[in-house]
Amino acid sequence: MLDDSLLDNPDALARADRRGLLRGAAEAGARVRTAVRFAEEAGVSQLRPEGRPRAILIAGPGAASVCVADLIATLAGGACPVTRLQPTGVAPAAGALRWALPGWVGPVDLLLIATPDGTEPGLELLAEQAYRRGCAVTSVAPAGTPLHETVGAKHGLAVPMAQSLHAEYEEGAAAGPDALWALLTPLLALLDRAGLIEAAPDALQKVADRLDSTAERCGPAIATYSNPAKTLAAELDESLPLIWTEGPPAGPVGRRFAAMLAEIAGRAALAGELPEALPAHGALLTGNLAAGGDPDDFFRDRVEEPQAMRARAVLLRDRPTGGLSAAPAARELALGHDIAISELEPQEGSDLENLAELIAVTDFAAVYLALASGGRS
């Protein structure tokens, strides 16, 4: 059960946030700026590609690396095929994971490795395999780690990962909300040089500015009634979020939000893109998760009569493809089954800026839900 009083108590939130997740979410803009500088120092801006790669392959462990691959596939997939290499192994540990290149990979392809760890032997072996095949390699990993040194020694492009500004939170920062931007930003700069996306330094500066302005609106000192992240966290209490996304850039955001709710808050959620999400989730709106009780029932004993789990729709919108929107149908379906619906839509801007805003708001919401419900903070 969500502790509503905690949401509007910044001091209590700070005490509950033992992993520094709120600090990490607020630092996302700073991580982008540092990552841009590291990419510049590593020589990304000096690259003169001889043409677009035939295909992009992305490898790395954890939710942040999964989201990096998802976002790059969305942003660059129309100009070049993007494939994420799935790891194999007996356990989700750095020493147990292995990656392998498909047999068709060769000199005209590009391998991107993104990891907040850098000690994975499997990624070192992958970089060496790519080198033997003549495949170009770029890595983003903490400086001084075995992977960073291996890629640099094999004539690849090794970009150091931008670390947290606060060393005392470094242990939690690797899996924190801002780790995504530390891994993603140098790769965006690289793909801009390859002509696959538009992510010039000034565009990335605007992304950092949007992250900063969103962090101001979603910070712990801002009251729930005017804080979109706190409001969303409160609305998702005791519910199964059905995250519906519209517009290509919003798809990866919805999947990331579901992953963050599971990893940080320990909450299950389902994500789907409109309009296909409506028939896919339609049965959930008529089953046991529908109309699970009136959340405003004054006479319900909050201790003896806990509220039943219910579905709640979350609509994340960006510009829909072709200007055709399924949002009215989504609202009609949800409200027609007495299912409440939350909506988030970014301010006007580029695809990257809109992504940044949606990711920032949902990251903050996942953190607030974890802290106020006694989750994995």
Side-chain angles (χ1 to χ4, degrees), residues 12-82:
L13 283 171
R15 289 192 297 270
D17 190 14
R18 294 183 296 273
R19 290 177 55 195
L21 295 174
L22 283 175
R23 186 188 295 268
E27 285 182 358
R31 286 256 211 168
V32 169
R33 295 186 181 91
T34 303
V36 169
R37 177 166 57 84
F38 283 1
E40 172 75 22
E41 294 173 352
V44 169
S45 63
Q46 306 303 317
L47 294 176
R48 298 291 184 268
E50 297 180 356
R52 295 181 177 182
R54 177 181 61 179
I56 297 173
L57 301 103
I58 303 176
S65 297
V66 171
C67 189
V68 165
D70 199 0
L71 288 168
I72 290 177
T74 298
L75 294 169
C80 178
V82 178

Side-chain angles (χ1 to χ4, degrees), residues 188-267:
L188 294 178
L190 173 70
L191 297 178
D192 175 75
R193 297 299 302 169
L196 296 174
I197 62 173
E198 295 183 4
D202 59 337
L204 293 175
Q205 177 62 47
K206 291 180 180 179
V207 168
D209 293 342
R210 181 70 70 92
L211 288 169
D212 286 345
S213 63
T214 306
E216 292 177 1
R217 292 192 296 120
C218 298
I222 307 301
T224 299
Y225 68 86
S226 58
N227 187 319
K230 287 183 179 180
T231 298
L232 181 57
E235 291 172 345
L236 295 184
D237 183 36
E238 297 183 345
S239 70
L240 173 69
L242 304 179
I243 304 169
W244 297 340
T245 64
E246 183 169 64
V253 179
R255 291 185 285 273
R256 168 163 172 93
F257 188 28
M260 293 294 284
L261 287 172
E263 183 175 347
I264 291 180
R267 300 294 187 95

Side-chain angles (χ1 to χ4, degrees), residues 347-359:
Q347 304 172 18
E348 285 296 321
S350 67
D351 285 350
L352 282 177
E353 292 175 75
N354 293 349
L355 278 171
E357 181 177 340
L358 288 174
I359 288 174

Side-chain angles (χ1 to χ4, degrees), residues 94-177:
L97 294 176
R98 292 293 182 270
W99 289 261
L101 291 175
W104 51 264
V105 172
V108 294
D109 302 308
L110 172 63
L111 172 63
L112 305 178
I113 301 176
T115 173
D117 188 336
T119 64
E120 301 92 343
L123 289 177
E124 292 181 66
L125 294 173
L126 180 68
E128 293 173 355
Q129 183 183 7
Y131 174 70
R132 290 193 299 269
R133 295 201 198 176
C135 177
V137 180
T138 295
S139 70
V140 182
T145 57
L147 176 65
H148 182 79
E149 301 297 332
T150 295
V151 172
K154 297 296 183 182
H155 306 290
L157 179 62
V159 182
M161 177 183 172
Q163 299 293 331
S164 171
L165 301 178
H166 301 273
E168 67 269 25
Y169 289 101
E170 204 60 46
E171 181 179 355

